[in-house]
Amino acid sequence: MKKSAVLSAASAASVAAAAVGFKYLKKKHICPVCEVKKVISNATVHTKATEEYSNGVALTPPMGWSSWNTFAANINENLILETAEAMKKSGLADAGYVYVNIDDCWESSVRDENGRLQADFSTFPSGIKELCNRVNNLGLKLGIYSSNGTKTCEGRLGTLYHEKIDAQTFADWGIEYFKYDFCHHKPVPTVAPYIDYITIENIENSFKLVLQAENGILSGKAKAVDDEKTQTGKMVIGLSNNEGTLAFDNVNLPLNGEYVLTVHIRKQKKSEKYLEMTVDNADVFPMNFESAGPFSVSGMYQLKLNLKEGKHSFYFKNPFKSEKDSYARQYINMGKELKNATLRFAEKNNCEEKPIVYSICEWGLNKPWLWGKQAGNLWRTTPDIKPYWSSVVAIYEFNVRLNKYSGVGNYNDPDMLEVGNGKLTLDENKSHFTLWCMMNAPLILGNDVRKFILSDGNVDINNNTLNIVTNKNLIAVNQDKRCIQCVRVKTDLLHDILVKPLENGELAVCFFNKGRKSTEMKTDIDQLRKNIIVDLPASKEYECFDLWDEERFITDGIICSQVPSHGVKIYRIKSV
Ligand code: GLA
């Protein structure tokens, strides 16, 4: 395979993936060109994964169902319950599909008097807590959805700026899977305000301390400059884009109690500004300065703090180098809130903690594979999947290259399954499922699973879709404890060979034929073993198990088979 061919395959795939997203974005009234530009831009994301998000769940790719692909906005509590019942009865639950995920359109358009989200009064009249109990009673877990924006994609209430209370609401309801979308998102400004002075007051005891900004410790690009309109004729600038810090160490407070802290700024240019204050190197307080009018030159941000008598430190900076950093940070924050919320609930109710699988869904726009590990359990890598072959292939082409970012507890998410939807043929459905299994992807069904139950109440054992998604050989490849995403070891654009190392030194090998003609495909296990990730022990003979046809055979190393158009062959191989 020539390098140029590989490169053109990659760019063709990106274009195809973009094309799928294009239609979708247009429909959603989002400027498609801007969004695609963002996808292919080289803008650097500076937020690097430092500590992995680990919440003790999703130790293999999560399996379940989501309402979106088939039902979109047409959902209600009966549908969710009927689905959960069908999952139990059809054997899906036993096969591992345990999450019943409600996607967009479950919410009312108003928060309650305490600022909490509430379910749509008309379509979910029993409320989510009750629904969750009922789903739990079936031995399944309930998942929910919101957007890291001011609204969801369908225009319901968003969670941005309500992270703590929404995380707590979900934990209180018993939710165990949370998908966090990206519609109506707002970046945090990378610009910091100019700081005049800071006051710290204990109102009850008439204590007031004034900290002039120019007297603080200035580092990086932070510097004091003259400005005749400020109180002292000076102000501190240079705190934008994570390039400078203003600090006050050893600030002595005379008593324990509640203090009002006010940051006084010199307004300049009509735009939003952002500052983050860290107190005592521990607690972080975000400060949003709204874009303000011209009538006075000074503005302020105020908050109340409980502080102990003694010495304290206050650090001010804008930590965001780019907008993309701020998106990553918003997702990271929500992950922290979810963890805190489930812990708080368990402590308060003296019960076992129910961690929430955290699914990040920003469509790959901000390269979430670079920071997703720190933020959550899984991250969407592409625009939305559609139930047609070109969409499945385009998404595969993009996601398959991200293998090195996937691992135990953290997964590339090429989107929910369309198996059984649209006009996908039997071979296409089998390929779609196989590729997702090989890619260590979450297996979230997107079809109407109630159809697996016949009108007489029996399970439709001849249902092709049911038989595909419950194939235990394939599920074992996906759920392998090593959680290694397959590597594409060979491609000629139309024919790919994928390998996925498994437990006990075994290896899954997959032939994928994207072409229009049935083709003979061939490999030599001893050649595959030369790939660094393959740790199948060398042997004179290998046992191969064809995972769809359930046939076993012994080979000295050569595997050769006829692969149908748009089809796959997948083998589990061990040394004998
Ligand atoms: C976005 C997501 C989809 C789905 C819809 C809901 O498009 O990518 O998976 O959640 O929003 O509106």
Side-chain angles (χ1 to χ4, degrees), residues 24 68 103-104 145 153-154 179 181 361 363 380 384:
Y24 158 77
W68 182 254
D103 209 278
D104 204 348
Y145 161 102
C153 299
E154 291 289 321
K179 172 172 164 183
D181 217 332
C361 175
W363 322 311
R380 277 275 298 279
D384 287 12

Side-chain angles (χ1 to χ4, degrees), residues 142-163:
L142 194 69
I144 217 156
Y145 161 102
S146 187
S147 185
N148 184 4
T150 51
K151 282 185 265 173
T152 70
C153 299
E154 291 289 321
R156 306 283 172 119
L157 298 172
T159 286
L160 186 65
Y161 312 132
H162 303 273
E163 291 83 357

Side-chain angles (χ1 to χ4, degrees), residues 83-157:
T83 298
E85 278 157 8
M87 285 170 77
K88 191 168 178 198
K89 189 152 195 191
S90 61
L92 283 172
D94 288 342
Y97 296 91
V98 291
Y99 294 102
V100 185
N101 296 344
I102 318 175
D103 209 278
D104 204 348
C105 300
W106 63 271
E107 298 164 61
S108 166
S109 57
V110 282
R111 288 177 178 265
D112 75 5
E113 62 281 10
N114 299 314
R116 288 185 161 229
L117 290 172
Q118 33 193 1
D120 185 309
F121 304 131
S122 159
T123 50
F124 287 83
S126 313
I128 303 297
K129 194 176 173 63
E130 177 55 27
L131 184 58
C132 187
N133 288 341
R134 291 191 205 161
V135 168
N136 288 168
N137 287 342
L138 292 165
L140 296 164
K141 301 165 186 233
L142 194 69
I144 217 156
Y145 161 102
S146 187
S147 185
N148 184 4
T150 51
K151 282 185 265 173
T152 70
C153 299
E154 291 289 321
R156 306 283 172 119
L157 298 172

